[in-house]
Amino acid sequence: MLGGRHSDLNDLENSEIQKMQIKNLNDGIDDYLKDAGNLPGGYAERVYMPESIDEIREIVRSANAEAMPLTICGGRTGTVGGAVPFGGAVISVEKLNRIKAIDPATMTATLEPGVVLGDLQRVVEEKGLYYPPDPTEWSCQIGGTVATNASGARSFKYGPTRNYVQALTVVLPDGDLVRLRRGKNFAANGMLCIQTESGRRIEVKLPTYTCPKVRKNVSGYFASSDMDAIDLFIGSEGTLGVIAEVELRLVPRPAGTFSGIVFFPAESDLLSFVGEVRRLSFAARGNGNNGCIDATLIEYFDDKSLRFIREKFPETPVEMAGAIYFEQETTPETEDEVFAAYNHLLEQCNAAIEKSWFAVSSVDREKMRSFRHSLPVAVNERVVRNKQKKIGTDMAVPDENFASFLRFYKEILSASGSDYVIFGHIGDCHLHANLLPADDNQARRAIHIYGRCVAQAIMLGGCVSAEHGIGKLKRKYLYVMMGERYINEMAEVKRAFDPKGILGSGNMFSEIAISD
């Protein structure tokens, strides 16, 4: 369809909505044809930059009439090609970037989808509030975090974006509007009925699969027989509608934080520490901050990760099996008790306490955050030198199967012949293994190893994507996880909202699955 004439869309450029910015091929739209996943070959005729819901509605209404594909993009920080178009047009929500309201009384924020996450967090914290979801890339936009159900390190305590979405305004592919508020519309007996602003009723038969018993999972549409309607759109990766407005739940800003980066000479001791912190944290939930261990995040770095980090932080100790970065919220009344509880546990688990780092000030915490983020920087520098692509996993498994999955990772990666690092959200049994091939032969082996890791995670009851989503790059792995029956059930959900298949074409499942 590239280069063809689409009458309704061309008329749109001369419509009564004159202020909307539209970029065409000769305006330099290359940046809108890729995301952080570096999926090659993206192309589109034009990029729309709407500044209101009405403009979004006119775009999608015109595109739907022509069966013209539309790809939605925000900050383009995703890693799975979800924002990469293959034909049609792009809707960038970057100009829909207003924080409409922050209400301390109800502890909510109402905002447009193009608001940058870091900007929201800064503004709400100035008001004594806190928005917990913290994807690694703070330049992402709120609409994208909702569309992918983004999470991050703090999801160990707070969960993913889904837990904070109170209301959504969504533009459907025909230009109709759906306004959803949590707690107002539930499925019954596996059927969901949604009424649009125009009064049309959309009846959806929900997929019958059971989601894996993992704390982080963005592998396909969320589904349960009695689910809240709003949860179907959260994590739908731009395939069901365009998120036009979001209301988010906020929480009180923590009074203080105690953090540590702790090094362990033996991995068995490291895993014992993680197991105890997880157990104690789960036991403390709901009991208030009374000086017990209740971690906000628990992050893992293997020995190879520490070697990479040492390039940026030469003070990182040598001859360590790995490190754990933990964080816990405190109050002036509990700070000493929390420190004592961690110190006691670290001594029990034979941590190298004298070589470890602890922080209570914002300056020290920022240094720890820099430590955490120095790893992907160092890894990416290696990738550039090798002139290859890194192959990174994003699987999560149930708690009881985590230890065996970590052993599998280390055995298969050690035998690969490639450099690798393993790091990530060990509190949620969700680690990232990055293979760093040095040549084409290692790259081919890395892709094969990735497939074996997918198969192992599925066998252990896990998911193929815990936080990055499926997009276009992981469709075949979702198929392996779900099977043809459940992929077809997901496709039926999409057809109920988008019978012409114009939105997010190629995301989650192939165009063929939608057209069947």
Side-chain angles (χ1 to χ4, degrees), residues 41 44 60 65 83 86 139 145 203 239 288 308 438 459:
V60 298
F86 286 88
S139 65
T145 68
E203 293 190 352
T239 61
F308 274 84
M459 186 182 73

Side-chain angles (χ1 to χ4, degrees), residues 19 155 163 225 278 375 381 404 413 434 481:
K19 67 178 182 178
S155 62
N163 295 11
S225 60
R278 292 176 69 252
L375 177 59
E381 288 175 355
S404 67
L413 296 178
N434 282 185
M481 174 181 165

Side-chain angles (χ1 to χ4, degrees), residues 278-515:
R278 292 176 69 252
R279 183 184 67 81
L280 293 169
S281 297
F282 295 149
R285 303 281 160 86
N287 294 330
N289 197 339
N290 55 10
C292 298
I293 286 178
D294 182 6
T296 305
L297 59 86
I298 316 173
E299 297 284 284
Y300 169 74
F301 308 90
D302 73 347
D303 58 333
K304 296 180 183 297
S305 298
L306 297 182
R307 188 185 70 202
F308 274 84
I309 290 172
R310 201 173 290 116
E311 296 175 9
K312 308 293 181 182
F313 285 79
E315 63 269 39
T316 302
V318 297
E319 297 181 357
M320 294 292 155
I324 293 296
Y325 170 29
F326 71 85
E327 184 178 280
Q328 173 156 341
E329 295 162 5
T330 62
T331 66
E333 294 76 23
T334 64
E335 185 175 301
D336 290 342
E337 292 177 79
V338 168
F339 181 84
Y342 275 100
N343 188 63
H344 176 69
L345 181 57
L346 289 167
E347 288 180 344
Q348 282 188 322
C349 295
N350 302 309
I353 298 178
E354 71 285 354
K355 296 182 179 180
S356 299
W357 309 330
F358 301 94
V360 293
S361 72
S362 59
V363 173
D364 289 340
R365 283 196 301 274
E366 186 56 36
K367 181 178 180 180
M368 290 188 176
R369 181 174 173 83
S370 297
F371 177 95
R372 163 67 176 84
H373 290 288
S374 69
L375 177 59
V377 171
V379 166
N380 288 337
E381 288 175 355
R382 175 66 60 84
V383 169
V384 170
R385 288 201 300 271
N386 289 347
K387 298 180 180 179
Q388 297 287 340
K389 292 182 180 179
K390 70 180 179 183
I391 306 295
T393 71
D394 183 39
M395 301 108 188
V397 297
D399 298 357
E400 61 272 18
N401 293 330
F402 173 74
S404 67
F405 192 52
L406 179 57
R407 285 196 300 272
F408 175 83
Y409 262 159
K410 296 210 165 188
E411 290 170 1
I412 195 169
L413 296 178
S414 295
S416 71
S418 297
D419 262 353
Y420 69 88
V421 295
I422 304 175
F423 65 98
H425 318 302
I426 197 169
D428 285 317
C429 299
H430 166 220
L431 296 179
H432 300 296
N434 282 185
L435 287 93
L436 310 173
D439 54 42
D440 291 345
N441 287 333
Q442 288 188 1
R444 285 189 289 269
R445 285 201 299 272
I447 293 172
H448 174 69
I449 289 168
Y450 184 96
R452 291 185 62 186
C453 292
V454 165
Q456 186 74 6
I458 293 171
M459 186 182 73
L460 294 175
C463 63
V464 299
S465 185
E467 68 180 2
H468 293 163
I470 299 299
K472 299 174 179 70
L473 287 171
K474 296 185 181 179
R475 291 185 321 205
K476 64 180 179 181
Y477 302 116
L478 182 65
Y479 186 93
V480 172
M481 174 181 165
M482 293 290 194
E484 185 172 2
R485 170 189 169 186
Y486 294 142
I487 290 292
N488 288 338
E489 290 181 357
M490 287 177 57
E492 283 296 324
V493 172
K494 178 168 174 60
R495 279 193 285 266
F497 293 98
D498 185 14
K500 294 185 179 180
I502 67 165
L503 282 186
S505 179
N507 286 352
M508 288 201 189
F509 26 61
S510 70
E511 295 85 344
I512 296 174
I514 302 302
S515 61

Side-chain angles (χ1 to χ4, degrees), residues 265-280:
E267 184 168 273
S268 58
D269 289 328
L270 180 152
L271 294 177
S272 294
F273 173 75
V274 170
E276 277 300 287
V277 173
R278 292 176 69 252
R279 183 184 67 81
L280 293 169

Side-chain angles (χ1 to χ4, degrees), residues 100-101 103 106-111 162-170 177-187 192-196 226-234 245-250:
K100 291 188 170 182
D103 188 343
T106 60
M107 293 177 55
T108 58
T110 303
L111 55 157
R162 181 184 311 281
N163 295 11
Y164 301 90
V165 179
Q166 295 294 94
L168 288 177
T169 298
V170 180
L177 273 185
V178 173
R179 300 186 190 274
L180 300 167
R181 178 161 292 279
R182 187 167 295 282
K184 297 296 184 181
N185 184 5
F186 294 92
L192 187 62
C193 183
I194 293 177
Q195 185 162 323
T196 71
D226 59 351
M227 66 183 283
D228 194 312
I230 200 170
D231 285 323
L232 181 61
F233 290 89
I234 301 167
E245 187 174 285
V246 184
E247 181 184 304
L248 297 172
R249 177 173 65 90
L250 308 173

